[in-house]
């Protein structure tokens, strides 16, 4: 008998807790979404206009993968001054498509050397996986990326396929 009363007590407190969370969520939602009368009146007085579409980021430089890699091979400091933290449009041939140790998708761009171990590596987000799955070795591509400098390879981050 005592065990049954204990179960009822737990059920009651559980029901009260869920109800309290429900009320709090409704109050919180109403505070965040309810328009004020002054905003509504101001909106009604103004003609509505479509929001401006986001502007495409400005490309700072257009280079080939070979030019970018050679610039870093000749003088890393000068290349950083010219390319690092800038938005680049880099064209080249696909050498490899894969994922790094952290499972981040990338495309390695050929730098033209027959036995090159290092090169240009363009990193993408997971949303790009369907497009990356259609690439093949030797295919010409152009990517827009932010240059992250040289860490063995010339690293390109936040990339999109053009």
């Amino acid at each position: 008998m005592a065990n049954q009363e204990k179960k009822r007590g737990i059920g009651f407190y559980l029901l009260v807790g869920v109800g309290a969370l429900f009320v709090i969520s409704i109050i919180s939602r109403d505070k965040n979404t309810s328009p004020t009368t002054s905003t509504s009146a101001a909106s009604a007085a103004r003609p509505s206009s479509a929001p401006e579409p986001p502007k495409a980021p400005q490309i700072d430089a257009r280079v080939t993968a070979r030019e970018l890699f050679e610039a870093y091979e000749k003088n890393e400091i000068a290349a950083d001054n010219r390319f690092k933290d800038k938005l680049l449009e880099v064209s080249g041939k696909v050498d490899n498509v894969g994922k790094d140790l952290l499972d981040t998708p990338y495309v390695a761009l050929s730098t033209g050397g027959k036995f090159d171990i290092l090169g240009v590596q363009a990193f993408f987000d997971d949303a790009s996986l369907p497009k990356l799955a259609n690439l093949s070795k030797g295919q010409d591509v152009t990517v827009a990326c932010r240059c992250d400098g040289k860490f063995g390879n010339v690293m390109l981050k936040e990339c999109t396929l053009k």
Side-chain angles (χ1 to χ4, degrees), residues 125-135 161:
D125 61 15
D126 287 341
S128 300
L129 286 173
K131 289 181 180 179
L132 298 178
N134 292 319
L135 297 178
L161 281 171

Side-chain angles (χ1 to χ4, degrees), residues 1-148:
M1 189 73 141
N3 198 16
Q4 194 170 4
E5 286 177 21
K6 195 177 199 181
K7 285 182 183 177
R8 273 193 220 146
I10 292 172
F12 173 76
Y13 289 115
L14 185 62
L15 185 61
V16 170
V18 169
L21 287 174
F22 179 74
V23 170
I24 291 170
S25 69
I26 289 174
I27 292 170
S28 172
R29 184 182 54 145
D30 286 345
K31 284 182 182 178
N32 293 333
T33 60
S34 63
T36 62
T37 53
S38 61
T39 306
S40 298
S43 299
R46 256 185 275 145
S48 65
S49 61
E52 276 188 40
K55 293 181 182 180
Q58 188 70 23
I59 300 292
D60 296 308
R62 287 175 173 80
V63 293
T64 66
R66 182 182 193 128
E67 292 167 339
L68 182 62
F69 184 74
E70 286 178 352
Y72 271 96
E73 285 292 293
K74 287 178 186 173
N75 185 329
E76 188 174 344
I77 294 170
D80 271 349
N81 288 337
R82 186 172 170 202
F83 299 116
K84 190 169 183 180
D85 297 324
K86 297 200 170 97
L87 186 60
L88 307 180
E89 194 171 272
V90 182
S91 56
K93 292 191 180 297
V94 173
D95 191 39
N96 183 30
V97 180
K99 290 184 178 182
D100 69 1
L101 293 173
L102 300 175
D103 220 26
T104 305
Y106 71 86
V107 174
L109 298 174
S110 174
T111 56
K114 205 172 194 177
F115 300 106
D116 285 342
I117 295 173
L118 301 175
V120 176
Q121 199 168 9
F123 290 89
F124 295 81
D125 61 15
D126 287 341
S128 300
L129 286 173
K131 289 181 180 179
L132 298 178
N134 292 319
L135 297 178
S136 56
K137 186 173 182 161
Q139 182 178 346
D140 288 320
V141 294
T142 300
V143 294
C145 309
R146 187 144 324 272
C147 183
D148 201 30

